[in-house]
Amino acid sequence: HLEGFIYPMLKLRTPREALDYPLADIEADYRYEQVDRQIREIQSRGLCATAWMACTIFEIAWYMRSMELLLMDFVDNQDFAVALLDRITAKREAQARRYAELGADVVCLGDDVASQRGMLMSAAMWRRWLKPRLARVVAAAKAARPDVLVLYHSDGDVTSIIPDLIEIGIDIL
């Protein structure tokens, strides 16, 4: 655990607890009241309007749970991991869709899933737990506006998953 970091879901164990825990209302209409105007203002100056959704799924989950427990959940508490990741993903799908509908030129996603020496987890584990959820977020943006570009950021060496990122519709790495 990171010293001084508070993991609010540290002691939770069941899928019901993951489903009941309050998460931010990032899909709420009031959060987007100024976004349309801001996008138009940026574009009117000939600039690219980007909508940043960094810490898209994995980082949010481990900030809530702790990285150690989340990775252990992937192996021995899978129902909890599914409940948590699917809740976060649903919120991110709504957010990506909204940004695309509002006209952002680029929707920027990202999770630090690698170090300088390679992935923080096996590529197979990333494909099982994160790829399909990331694909849902990308698909939500592109369903709202097919020409929106989707950027993905991760620290470290993600070479082993670049073909997967292309496959799910990432345009910019």
Side-chain angles (χ1 to χ4, degrees):
H1 302 303
L2 297 175
E3 187 173 328
F5 203 90
I6 296 171
Y7 303 99
M9 298 179 97
L10 188 65
K11 298 189 185 294
L12 306 186
R13 292 291 306 151
T14 69
R16 180 81 266 154
E17 291 172 313
L19 293 171
D20 289 343
Y21 191 89
L23 297 179
D25 63 346
I26 61 174
E27 68 279 20
D29 288 341
Y30 77 91
R31 293 192 179 267
Y32 301 90
E33 290 173 354
Q34 301 299 315
V35 174
D36 183 50
R37 181 190 56 74
Q38 292 168 335
I39 288 172
R40 300 290 163 248
E41 182 181 301
I42 290 166
Q43 291 170 335
S44 74
R45 295 182 299 182
L47 301 173
C48 174
T50 60
W52 280 92
M53 296 173 46
C55 304
T56 305
I57 300 168
F58 177 62
E59 285 185 72
I60 296 297
W62 79 255
Y63 292 164
M64 300 293 289
R65 184 81 172 133
S66 89
M67 188 180 297
E68 297 90 340
L69 276 183
L70 181 65
L71 292 174
M72 288 178 9
D73 290 340
F74 288 175
V75 175
D76 69 2
N77 196 0
Q78 295 184 2
D79 290 341
F80 182 94
V82 166
L84 176 59
L85 294 175
D86 283 351
R87 281 192 72 205
I88 294 167
T89 301
K91 288 181 171 290
R92 293 312 215 168
E93 286 176 277
Q95 191 176 28
R97 182 179 309 106
R98 194 66 171 275
Y99 283 141
E101 288 169 350
L102 290 171
D105 298 301
V106 182
V107 173
C108 304
L109 311 176
D111 280 310
D112 292 338
V113 295
S115 72
Q116 296 304 313
R117 295 182 180 179
M119 298 290 290
L120 295 177
M121 65 195 82
S122 70
M125 184 173 278
W126 179 87
R127 287 180 186 109
R128 160 79 170 90
W129 290 100
L130 300 173
K131 178 182 176 180
R133 290 170 175 91
L134 182 62
R136 286 172 32 199
V137 177
V138 172
K142 292 192 179 262
R145 209 174 86 243
D147 64 338
V148 70
L149 296 175
V150 180
L151 176 148
Y152 183 78
H153 162 81
S154 176
D155 288 351
D157 180 0
V158 295
T159 304
S160 64
I161 64 167
I162 289 174
D164 300 278
L165 295 171
I166 294 167
E167 177 187 317
I168 64 172
I170 298 296
D171 301 295
I172 305 164
L173 177 61

